[in-house]
Amino acid sequence: KQEVTQIPAALSVPEGENLVLNCSFTDSAIYNLQWFRQDPGKGLTSLLLIQSSQREQTSGRLNASLDKSSGRSTLYIAASQPGDSATYLCAVSGSARQLTFGSGTQLTVLP
Amino acid sequence: DAGVIQSPRHEVTEMGQEVTLRCKPISGHDYLFWYRQTMMRGLELLIYFNNNVPIDDSGMPEDRFSAKMPNASFSTLKIQPSEPRDSAVYFCASIYSPAGNTIYFGEGSWLTVV
């Protein structure tokens, strides 16, 4: 059974810092990996999707990497802003499209 | 498109009552998922449909839970009878698989069973 772990569970940084969120998964036979953002009281918004054949994806200040063989992914956020404060979730997909989620990293960016 | 629409957004009900949560996926999407989120267990997949057909309901916690998708634009998740441990946020999500795997979530139904 696939298990997804995210470290750290919570992170607080001053504005402007670059930061890295970590995700690991136990079964490397994945279809893709996605990073999501969740704001309090809201649903999840997909940030980046990395297909199993890819090694990274970039969108603006966000960069996500995937090392399928070691079962790891990182989400890099450059020049963090208070508006980046949210919970970030990592999820992996099997061939049947269903997602297995990590427990998330709660990020606070202090002005 | 308005996105995935869920109703009700918030519901408080008494133990033993029937609860029905509703979802309208994005038009044209062929996969629909029901997830439950709690502080203790995080996000868990309950059931998902492909072209209105249930594919995997192994995540449904027990027989008190049932889900239907009578057509491509509507799904329900029913809990009967409800129990306090069912209190959670229930999310519906959908995918248009020919266009990739970006999944779109609704804003959730916040259920409290007292």
Side-chain angles (χ1 to χ4, degrees):
Chain A
K1 180 185 172 186
Q2 180 73 269
E3 292 183 3
V4 181
T5 303
Q6 291 188 245
I7 296 173
L11 181 63
S12 183
V13 300
E15 182 177 4
E17 270 202 11
N18 303 323
L19 58 99
V20 174
L21 308 181
N22 296 292
C23 172
S24 61
F25 47 95
T26 55
D27 185 351
S28 62
I30 64 170
Y31 193 67
N32 61 56
L33 182 144
Q34 298 186 56
W35 284 93
F36 294 86
R37 170 184 174 137
Q38 186 176 25
D39 293 287
K42 299 290 188 180
L44 282 71
T45 301
S46 180
L47 297 173
L48 290 165
L49 184 154
I50 311 177
Q51 301 289 358
S52 62
S53 58
Q54 297 174 321
R55 292 195 63 85
E56 68 175 343
Q57 282 287 337
T58 298
S59 176
R61 295 182 293 107
L62 305 179
N63 175 275
S65 68
L66 173 63
D67 184 341
K68 210 172 71 157
S69 61
S70 67
R72 295 179 188 276
S73 175
T74 61
L75 178 67
Y76 175 83
I77 302 177
S80 58
Q81 303 170 357
D84 295 330
S85 298
T87 297
Y88 291 81
L89 295 120
C90 165
V92 296
S93 171
S95 58
R97 305 281 198 271
Q98 71 270 38
L99 295 169
T100 302
F101 283 86
S103 54
T105 295
Q106 187 173 349
L107 173 66
T108 302
V109 181
L110 304 169
Chain B
D1 200 309
V4 177
I5 299 173
Q6 293 186 244
S7 65
R9 286 296 318 278
H10 298 271
E11 177 148 351
V12 180
T13 191
E14 291 186 347
M15 183 174 63
Q17 295 297 306
E18 179 179 290
V19 173
T20 299
L21 308 179
R22 299 173 180 79
C23 175
K24 180 180 181 343
I26 294 174
S27 177
H29 282 199
D30 55 338
Y31 279 83
L32 183 141
F33 304 83
W34 282 100
Y35 285 90
R36 178 172 69 175
Q37 186 175 39
T38 61
M39 288 292 292
M40 291 297 295
R41 300 174 66 91
L43 268 158
E44 303 173 286
L45 176 66
L46 299 177
I47 186 172
Y48 74 98
F49 297 82
N50 178 218
N51 293 322
N52 314 339
V53 176
I55 302 300
D56 185 352
D57 66 354
S58 59
M60 298 285 261
E62 46 197 277
D63 292 345
R64 297 184 297 106
F65 286 69
S66 62
K68 294 181 180 179
M69 192 165 185
N71 57 62
S73 59
F74 184 65
S75 177
T76 60
L77 178 68
K78 188 173 293 188
I79 308 172
Q80 167 62 19
S82 58
E83 297 182 2
R85 60 191 167 125
D86 302 331
S87 298
V89 185
Y90 292 82
F91 286 105
C92 177
S94 67
I95 288 175
Y96 177 57
S97 61
N101 295 292
T102 299
I103 187 169
Y104 296 86
F105 279 78
E107 298 214 323
S109 291
W110 297 67
L111 174 65
T112 302
V113 183
V114 298

